[in-house]
Amino acid sequence: MIKLNPTINDVINELIFIAIAKPEKVSVSVRYIGHADALEVIAIDKAYFSGVQNPNTWSEHKLMDQTIYLDGLTAFKQVTSAYNELSNLIKNEVAA
């Protein structure tokens, strides 16, 4: 959960925490791309790993794929949006 009045680093830390926590049905990857000063957030249904694995099934199972450039004026809004989207995926996972 994000604290009150968070910084962009707080939100990025929460994204990384979700990935480290290894949700049950969603595989989450958070990657920093240094040469682009960007953050990549990918979530894929873990069912992908128990079936045929190819580019077509990857696309079918991908739930989220965002690249956020951190040097832009909207970076904080985009990182927060990615956190909210990922949180909702996890909540729906628990409810399902």
Side-chain angles (χ1 to χ4, degrees):
M1 175 178 281
I2 298 176
K3 68 181 185 178
L4 192 59
N5 300 319
T7 66
I8 193 166
N9 287 337
D10 293 330
V11 183
I12 291 170
N13 287 340
E14 287 297 321
L15 284 170
I16 293 169
F17 178 77
I18 290 172
I20 291 170
K22 297 184 180 184
E24 186 177 336
K25 296 181 182 177
V26 179
S27 179
V28 178
S29 175
V30 178
R31 179 174 71 143
Y32 177 71
I33 306 166
H35 69 274
D37 194 25
L39 196 66
E40 181 181 63
V41 182
I42 297 174
I44 187 166
D45 185 344
K46 282 190 178 176
Y48 168 77
F49 300 104
S50 61
V52 177
Q53 298 176 12
N54 62 52
N56 292 333
T57 57
W58 173 263
S59 295
E60 292 168 8
H61 287 90
K62 194 174 354 176
L63 304 171
M64 178 180 177
D65 185 357
Q66 292 186 16
T67 302
I68 303 160
Y69 296 93
L70 300 174
D71 61 350
L73 296 174
T74 60
F76 180 78
K77 183 177 179 180
Q78 290 175 319
V79 169
T80 303
S81 175
Y83 169 81
N84 290 331
E85 183 178 344
L86 190 55
S87 293
N88 287 335
L89 283 173
I90 303 302
K91 287 177 189 170
N92 291 338
E93 168 189 299
V94 172

